[in-house]
Tab-separated table of all heavy atoms in Angstrom:
chain	number	residue	atom	x	y	z
A	1412	VAL	N	78.618	137.946	53.839
A	1412	VAL	CA	79.475	139.086	54.151
A	1412	VAL	C	79.110	139.529	55.560
A	1412	VAL	O	77.942	139.813	55.837
A	1412	VAL	CB	79.265	140.248	53.164
A	1412	VAL	CG1	80.170	141.430	53.527
A	1412	VAL	CG2	79.517	139.792	51.733
A	1413	THR	N	80.084	139.558	56.454
A	1413	THR	CA	79.788	139.847	57.858
A	1413	THR	C	80.271	141.240	58.233
A	1413	THR	O	81.433	141.572	58.053
A	1413	THR	CB	80.461	138.818	58.791
A	1413	THR	OG1	81.878	138.827	58.566
A	1413	THR	CG2	79.919	137.423	58.539
A	1414	ALA	N	79.370	142.057	58.762
A	1414	ALA	CA	79.769	143.337	59.336
A	1414	ALA	C	80.448	143.072	60.680
A	1414	ALA	O	80.266	142.006	61.283
A	1414	ALA	CB	78.552	144.242	59.502
A	1415	PRO	N	81.221	144.020	61.203
A	1415	PRO	CA	82.056	143.742	62.389
A	1415	PRO	C	81.249	143.419	63.648
A	1415	PRO	O	80.199	144.007	63.910
A	1415	PRO	CB	82.831	145.055	62.578
A	1415	PRO	CG	82.799	145.719	61.250
A	1415	PRO	CD	81.485	145.348	60.636
A	1416	ILE	N	81.780	142.468	64.415
A	1416	ILE	CA	81.231	142.152	65.732
A	1416	ILE	C	82.257	142.552	66.786
A	1416	ILE	O	83.419	142.785	66.483
A	1416	ILE	CB	80.879	140.659	65.865
A	1416	ILE	CG1	82.123	139.781	65.662
A	1416	ILE	CG2	79.775	140.282	64.900
A	1416	ILE	CD1	81.871	138.297	65.892
A	1417	HIS	N	81.792	142.621	68.032
A	1417	HIS	CA	82.680	142.984	69.144
A	1417	HIS	C	82.874	141.755	70.019
A	1417	HIS	O	81.909	141.172	70.517
A	1417	HIS	CB	82.077	144.127	69.959
A	1417	HIS	CG	83.082	144.834	70.816
A	1417	HIS	ND1	83.552	144.294	71.990
A	1417	HIS	CD2	83.706	146.031	70.661
A	1417	HIS	CE1	84.425	145.131	72.541
A	1417	HIS	NE2	84.543	146.184	71.750
A	1418	LYS	N	84.123	141.365	70.203
A	1418	LYS	CA	84.412	140.115	70.905
A	1418	LYS	C	83.975	140.159	72.364
A	1418	LYS	O	83.542	139.146	72.927
A	1418	LYS	CB	85.891	139.777	70.768
A	1418	LYS	CG	86.292	139.440	69.330
A	1418	LYS	CD	87.775	139.214	69.181
A	1418	LYS	CE	88.124	138.799	67.759
A	1418	LYS	NZ	87.709	139.804	66.746
A	1419	GLU	N	84.086	141.320	73.016
A	1419	GLU	CA	83.632	141.416	74.409
A	1419	GLU	C	82.124	141.254	74.501
A	1419	GLU	O	81.609	140.622	75.435
A	1419	GLU	CB	84.055	142.755	75.008
A	1419	GLU	CG	85.536	142.872	75.314
A	1419	GLU	CD	85.853	144.181	76.017
A	1419	GLU	OE1	85.172	144.520	76.999
A	1419	GLU	OE2	86.783	144.872	75.567
A	1420	ALA	N	81.399	141.840	73.567
A	1420	ALA	CA	79.940	141.699	73.568
A	1420	ALA	C	79.537	140.259	73.301
A	1420	ALA	O	78.590	139.733	73.912
A	1420	ALA	CB	79.333	142.630	72.521
A	1421	LEU	N	80.254	139.610	72.409
A	1421	LEU	CA	79.991	138.204	72.128
A	1421	LEU	C	80.210	137.375	73.390
A	1421	LEU	O	79.393	136.506	73.739
A	1421	LEU	CB	80.926	137.741	71.011
A	1421	LEU	CG	80.508	136.553	70.150
A	1421	LEU	CD1	79.253	136.880	69.361
A	1421	LEU	CD2	81.641	136.181	69.192
A	1422	HIS	N	81.301	137.646	74.092
A	1422	HIS	CA	81.596	136.933	75.335
A	1422	HIS	C	80.540	137.224	76.395
A	1422	HIS	O	80.103	136.314	77.120
A	1422	HIS	CB	82.982	137.327	75.837
A	1422	HIS	CG	83.380	136.661	77.112
A	1422	HIS	ND1	83.755	135.329	77.176
A	1422	HIS	CD2	83.448	137.129	78.388
A	1422	HIS	CE1	84.036	135.009	78.435
A	1422	HIS	NE2	83.863	136.092	79.178
A	1423	ALA	N	80.121	138.493	76.493
A	1423	ALA	CA	79.106	138.861	77.484
A	1423	ALA	C	77.781	138.155	77.227
A	1423	ALA	O	77.009	137.908	78.163
A	1423	ALA	CB	78.902	140.378	77.477
A	1424	ALA	N	77.525	137.826	75.966
A	1424	ALA	CA	76.292	137.123	75.615
A	1424	ALA	C	76.383	135.628	75.872
A	1424	ALA	O	75.399	134.900	75.666
A	1424	ALA	CB	75.961	137.383	74.146
A	1425	GLY	N	77.551	135.162	76.303
A	1425	GLY	CA	77.718	133.741	76.596
A	1425	GLY	C	78.184	132.903	75.423
A	1425	GLY	O	78.183	131.666	75.504
A	1426	SER	N	78.608	133.550	74.345
A	1426	SER	CA	79.088	132.787	73.193
A	1426	SER	C	80.440	132.157	73.515
A	1426	SER	O	81.313	132.807	74.101
A	1426	SER	CB	79.226	133.698	71.972
A	1426	SER	OG	79.858	133.010	70.910
A	1427	PRO	N	80.665	130.905	73.136
A	1427	PRO	CA	81.949	130.256	73.401
A	1427	PRO	C	83.026	130.594	72.374
A	1427	PRO	O	84.156	130.130	72.508
A	1427	PRO	CB	81.604	128.769	73.319
A	1427	PRO	CG	80.476	128.704	72.333
A	1427	PRO	CD	79.685	129.974	72.540
A	1428	TYR	N	82.685	131.422	71.383
A	1428	TYR	CA	83.615	131.669	70.285
A	1428	TYR	C	84.276	133.037	70.451
A	1428	TYR	O	83.613	134.027	70.759
A	1428	TYR	CB	82.882	131.618	68.948
A	1428	TYR	CG	82.098	130.350	68.762
A	1428	TYR	CD1	80.705	130.363	68.755
A	1428	TYR	CD2	82.743	129.133	68.613
A	1428	TYR	CE1	79.974	129.198	68.596
A	1428	TYR	CE2	82.023	127.953	68.456
A	1428	TYR	CZ	80.640	128.000	68.454
A	1428	TYR	OH	79.926	126.843	68.311
A	1429	PRO	N	85.575	133.126	70.196
A	1429	PRO	CA	86.265	134.411	70.325
A	1429	PRO	C	86.053	135.348	69.146
A	1429	PRO	O	86.400	136.527	69.218
A	1429	PRO	CB	87.739	134.016	70.436
A	1429	PRO	CG	87.830	132.713	69.731
A	1429	PRO	CD	86.517	132.019	69.969
A	1430	GLY	N	85.486	134.861	68.040
A	1430	GLY	CA	85.290	135.719	66.885
A	1430	GLY	C	84.542	135.011	65.775
A	1430	GLY	O	84.094	133.865	65.916
A	1431	HIS	N	84.381	135.741	64.656
A	1431	HIS	CA	83.674	135.215	63.500
A	1431	HIS	C	84.263	133.896	63.010
A	1431	HIS	O	83.537	132.933	62.742
A	1431	HIS	CB	83.782	136.224	62.348
A	1431	HIS	CG	82.685	137.233	62.293
A	1431	HIS	ND1	82.931	138.587	62.286
A	1431	HIS	CD2	81.346	137.101	62.219
A	1431	HIS	CE1	81.793	139.240	62.204
A	1431	HIS	NE2	80.814	138.367	62.161
A	1432	THR	N	85.578	133.872	62.847
A	1432	THR	CA	86.224	132.726	62.203
A	1432	THR	C	85.936	131.437	62.950
A	1432	THR	O	85.567	130.410	62.358
A	1432	THR	CB	87.739	132.959	62.086
A	1432	THR	OG1	87.972	134.184	61.379
A	1432	THR	CG2	88.410	131.817	61.341
A	1433	GLU	N	86.088	131.485	64.262
A	1433	GLU	CA	85.868	130.284	65.073
A	1433	GLU	C	84.391	129.870	65.072
A	1433	GLU	O	84.064	128.677	65.069
A	1433	GLU	CB	86.360	130.525	66.491
A	1433	GLU	CG	87.870	130.723	66.610
A	1433	GLU	CD	88.328	132.157	66.309
A	1433	GLU	OE1	87.455	133.011	65.998
A	1433	GLU	OE2	89.531	132.415	66.378
A	1434	MET	N	83.489	130.844	65.077
A	1434	MET	CA	82.065	130.530	65.028
A	1434	MET	C	81.698	129.867	63.702
A	1434	MET	O	81.000	128.840	63.672
A	1434	MET	CB	81.233	131.802	65.219
A	1434	MET	CG	79.731	131.547	65.259
A	1434	MET	SD	78.755	133.080	65.349
A	1434	MET	CE	79.402	133.765	66.861
A	1435	LEU	N	82.182	130.428	62.620
A	1435	LEU	CA	81.886	129.860	61.313
A	1435	LEU	C	82.525	128.487	61.147
A	1435	LEU	O	81.953	127.593	60.510
A	1435	LEU	CB	82.366	130.813	60.220
A	1435	LEU	CG	81.586	132.128	60.125
A	1435	LEU	CD1	82.322	133.120	59.245
A	1435	LEU	CD2	80.176	131.890	59.615
A	1436	GLN	N	83.704	128.312	61.720
A	1436	GLN	CA	84.373	127.015	61.695
A	1436	GLN	C	83.492	125.955	62.336
A	1436	GLN	O	83.347	124.842	61.815
A	1436	GLN	CB	85.703	127.124	62.425
A	1436	GLN	CG	86.531	125.858	62.451
A	1436	GLN	CD	87.832	126.069	63.209
A	1436	GLN	OE1	87.929	126.922	64.080
A	1436	GLN	NE2	88.842	125.284	62.862
A	1437	ALA	N	82.877	126.299	63.473
A	1437	ALA	CA	82.002	125.353	64.163
A	1437	ALA	C	80.699	125.129	63.392
A	1437	ALA	O	80.227	123.991	63.258
A	1437	ALA	CB	81.702	125.860	65.568
A	1438	LEU	N	80.110	126.213	62.871
A	1438	LEU	CA	78.848	126.093	62.151
A	1438	LEU	C	78.990	125.279	60.871
A	1438	LEU	O	78.044	124.630	60.425
A	1438	LEU	CB	78.306	127.487	61.815
A	1438	LEU	CG	77.819	128.328	62.996
A	1438	LEU	CD1	77.485	129.746	62.540
A	1438	LEU	CD2	76.604	127.687	63.657
A	1439	ALA	N	80.191	125.297	60.290
A	1439	ALA	CA	80.424	124.565	59.053
A	1439	ALA	C	80.928	123.149	59.296
A	1439	ALA	O	81.167	122.404	58.343
A	1439	ALA	CB	81.433	125.316	58.178
A	1440	GLY	N	81.093	122.769	60.558
A	1440	GLY	CA	81.636	121.459	60.881
A	1440	GLY	C	80.677	120.327	60.570
A	1440	GLY	O	79.493	120.533	60.294
A	1441	GLN	N	81.199	119.137	60.641
A	1441	GLN	CA	80.410	117.938	60.401
A	1441	GLN	C	80.613	116.960	61.535
A	1441	GLN	O	81.732	116.764	62.012
A	1441	GLN	CB	80.805	117.280	59.072
A	1441	GLN	CG	80.494	118.123	57.842
A	1441	GLN	CD	80.906	117.431	56.555
A	1441	GLN	OE1	81.831	116.638	56.530
A	1441	GLN	NE2	80.207	117.731	55.477
A	1442	ASP	N	79.505	116.359	61.984
A	1442	ASP	CA	79.542	115.359	63.056
A	1442	ASP	C	80.227	115.904	64.310
A	1442	ASP	O	80.971	115.184	64.999
A	1442	ASP	CB	80.258	114.086	62.587
A	1442	ASP	CG	79.572	113.447	61.387
A	1442	ASP	OD1	78.328	113.482	61.341
A	1442	ASP	OD2	80.272	112.929	60.500
A	1443	GLY	N	80.007	117.189	64.583
A	1443	GLY	CA	80.570	117.787	65.783
A	1443	GLY	C	82.025	118.184	65.679
A	1443	GLY	O	82.601	118.694	66.642
A	1444	GLN	N	82.631	117.954	64.510
A	1444	GLN	CA	84.039	118.281	64.328
A	1444	GLN	C	84.162	119.595	63.555
A	1444	GLN	O	83.618	119.725	62.463
A	1444	GLN	CB	84.752	117.170	63.553
A	1444	GLN	CG	84.793	115.850	64.296
A	1444	GLN	CD	85.546	115.944	65.616
A	1444	GLN	OE1	86.636	116.514	65.689
A	1444	GLN	NE2	84.953	115.415	66.669
A	1445	PRO	N	84.884	120.596	64.111
A	1445	PRO	CA	85.040	121.856	63.392
A	1445	PRO	C	85.850	121.674	62.121
A	1445	PRO	O	86.741	120.824	62.050
A	1445	PRO	CB	85.775	122.750	64.401
A	1445	PRO	CG	86.474	121.803	65.326
A	1445	PRO	CD	85.583	120.603	65.410
A	1446	ARG	N	85.538	122.463	61.132
A	1446	ARG	CA	86.214	122.387	59.847
A	1446	ARG	C	87.508	123.188	59.917
A	1446	ARG	O	87.524	124.292	60.457
A	1446	ARG	CB	85.291	122.958	58.766
A	1446	ARG	CG	85.738	122.715	57.343
A	1446	ARG	CD	84.728	123.327	56.379
A	1446	ARG	NE	85.081	123.073	54.998
A	1446	ARG	CZ	84.581	122.075	54.281
A	1446	ARG	NH1	83.724	121.248	54.828
A	1446	ARG	NH2	84.938	121.911	53.016
A	1447	PRO	N	88.618	122.672	59.391
A	1447	PRO	CA	89.864	123.455	59.395
A	1447	PRO	C	89.743	124.650	58.461
A	1447	PRO	O	89.481	124.500	57.265
A	1447	PRO	CB	90.923	122.461	58.909
A	1447	PRO	CG	90.163	121.423	58.152
A	1447	PRO	CD	88.817	121.332	58.799
A	1448	VAL	N	89.903	125.840	59.005
A	1448	VAL	CA	89.803	127.057	58.216
A	1448	VAL	C	90.995	127.954	58.527
A	1448	VAL	O	91.687	127.774	59.529
A	1448	VAL	CB	88.486	127.821	58.498
A	1448	VAL	CG1	87.276	126.961	58.179
A	1448	VAL	CG2	88.432	128.307	59.945
A	1449	ARG	N	91.217	128.930	57.665
A	1449	ARG	CA	92.262	129.914	57.874
A	1449	ARG	C	91.740	131.289	57.464
A	1449	ARG	O	90.828	131.410	56.650
A	1449	ARG	CB	93.527	129.574	57.064
A	1449	ARG	CG	94.239	128.307	57.496
A	1449	ARG	CD	94.790	128.380	58.903
A	1449	ARG	NE	95.613	127.220	59.238
A	1449	ARG	CZ	95.162	126.101	59.771
A	1449	ARG	NH1	93.858	125.965	60.015
A	1449	ARG	NH2	95.991	125.113	60.070
A	1450	MET	N	92.375	132.302	58.000
A	1450	MET	CA	92.003	133.688	57.730
A	1450	MET	C	92.960	134.293	56.713
A	1450	MET	O	94.174	134.193	56.864
A	1450	MET	CB	92.056	134.482	59.035
A	1450	MET	CG	91.770	135.952	58.920
A	1450	MET	SD	91.856	136.708	60.578
A	1450	MET	CE	91.613	138.436	60.143
A	1451	MET	N	92.399	134.894	55.667
A	1451	MET	CA	93.200	135.633	54.701
A	1451	MET	C	92.754	137.086	54.698
A	1451	MET	O	91.548	137.371	54.659
A	1451	MET	CB	93.054	135.066	53.284
A	1451	MET	CG	93.868	135.850	52.251
A	1451	MET	SD	93.838	135.162	50.572
A	1451	MET	CE	92.223	135.735	50.021
A	1452	LEU	N	93.699	137.991	54.757
A	1452	LEU	CA	93.410	139.408	54.589
A	1452	LEU	C	94.040	139.848	53.278
A	1452	LEU	O	95.213	139.533	53.009
A	1452	LEU	CB	93.971	140.228	55.750
A	1452	LEU	CG	93.252	141.554	56.021
A	1452	LEU	CD1	91.807	141.307	56.414
A	1452	LEU	CD2	93.949	142.315	57.136
A	1453	ALA	N	93.260	140.546	52.464
A	1453	ALA	CA	93.735	140.868	51.121
A	1453	ALA	C	93.310	142.271	50.718
A	1453	ALA	O	92.241	142.754	51.108
A	1453	ALA	CB	93.180	139.859	50.114
A	1454	ASN	N	94.153	142.919	49.948
A	1454	ASN	CA	93.780	144.135	49.243
A	1454	ASN	C	94.405	144.069	47.847
A	1454	ASN	O	94.850	142.999	47.424
A	1454	ASN	CB	94.210	145.391	50.024
A	1454	ASN	CG	95.703	145.432	50.308
A	1454	ASN	OD1	96.519	144.901	49.556
A	1454	ASN	ND2	96.079	146.059	51.416
A	1455	GLU	N	94.428	145.169	47.132
A	1455	GLU	CA	94.931	145.145	45.761
A	1455	GLU	C	96.438	144.913	45.688
A	1455	GLU	O	96.973	144.572	44.636
A	1455	GLU	CB	94.576	146.457	45.056
A	1455	GLU	CG	93.079	146.665	44.852
A	1455	GLU	CD	92.443	145.583	44.003
A	1455	GLU	OE1	93.098	145.137	43.036
A	1455	GLU	OE2	91.306	145.176	44.309
A	1456	GLU	N	97.152	145.093	46.802
A	1456	GLU	CA	98.605	145.018	46.789
A	1456	GLU	C	99.184	143.795	47.483
A	1456	GLU	O	100.317	143.419	47.213
A	1456	GLU	CB	99.190	146.265	47.452
A	1456	GLU	CG	98.830	147.568	46.776
A	1456	GLU	CD	99.471	148.754	47.471
A	1456	GLU	OE1	100.685	148.956	47.304
A	1456	GLU	OE2	98.748	149.456	48.200
A	1457	LEU	N	98.427	143.183	48.389
A	1457	LEU	CA	99.021	142.155	49.242
A	1457	LEU	C	97.946	141.191	49.730
A	1457	LEU	O	96.807	141.586	49.999
A	1457	LEU	CB	99.687	142.843	50.446
A	1457	LEU	CG	100.568	142.009	51.362
A	1457	LEU	CD1	101.766	141.449	50.611
A	1457	LEU	CD2	101.057	142.888	52.531
A	1458	ARG	N	98.329	139.922	49.837
A	1458	ARG	CA	97.481	138.896	50.455
A	1458	ARG	C	98.298	138.184	51.513
A	1458	ARG	O	99.449	137.818	51.271
A	1458	ARG	CB	97.000	137.868	49.428
A	1458	ARG	CG	96.204	138.412	48.283
A	1458	ARG	CD	95.914	137.345	47.234
A	1458	ARG	NE	95.480	137.965	45.991
A	1458	ARG	CZ	96.321	138.388	45.050
A	1458	ARG	NH1	97.634	138.208	45.201
A	1458	ARG	NH2	95.862	138.971	43.958
A	1459	THR	N	97.674	137.942	52.657
A	1459	THR	CA	98.372	137.197	53.699
A	1459	THR	C	97.407	136.218	54.354
A	1459	THR	O	96.233	136.523	54.553
A	1459	THR	CB	98.990	138.147	54.746
A	1459	THR	OG1	99.728	137.404	55.707
A	1459	THR	CG2	97.922	138.964	55.451
């Protein structure tokens, strides 16, 4: 479970990733290839 990060701070630190999703995609990759992932936002009424 990830608490919020700030994309500008991540960039200022030299990270090549624009956000959590892309970083996790790379960390979960195999043989240097990022894993295909998608973002879902959900609550009790709607999922997208």
Side-chain angles (χ1 to χ4, degrees):
V1412 180
T1413 58
I1416 60 175
H1417 198 284
K1418 293 175 177 59
E1419 287 185 49
L1421 205 64
H1422 180 74
S1426 172
Y1428 307 111
H1431 270 125
T1432 304
E1433 294 83 0
M1434 183 185 301
L1435 292 167
Q1436 181 180 26
L1438 291 172
Q1441 295 180 331
D1442 300 323
Q1444 295 299 314
R1446 191 180 182 96
V1448 300
R1449 294 296 187 271
M1450 177 179 176
M1451 179 176 78
L1452 206 63
N1454 57 29
E1455 294 300 322
E1456 299 181 75
L1457 190 62
R1458 301 173 196 87
T1459 183

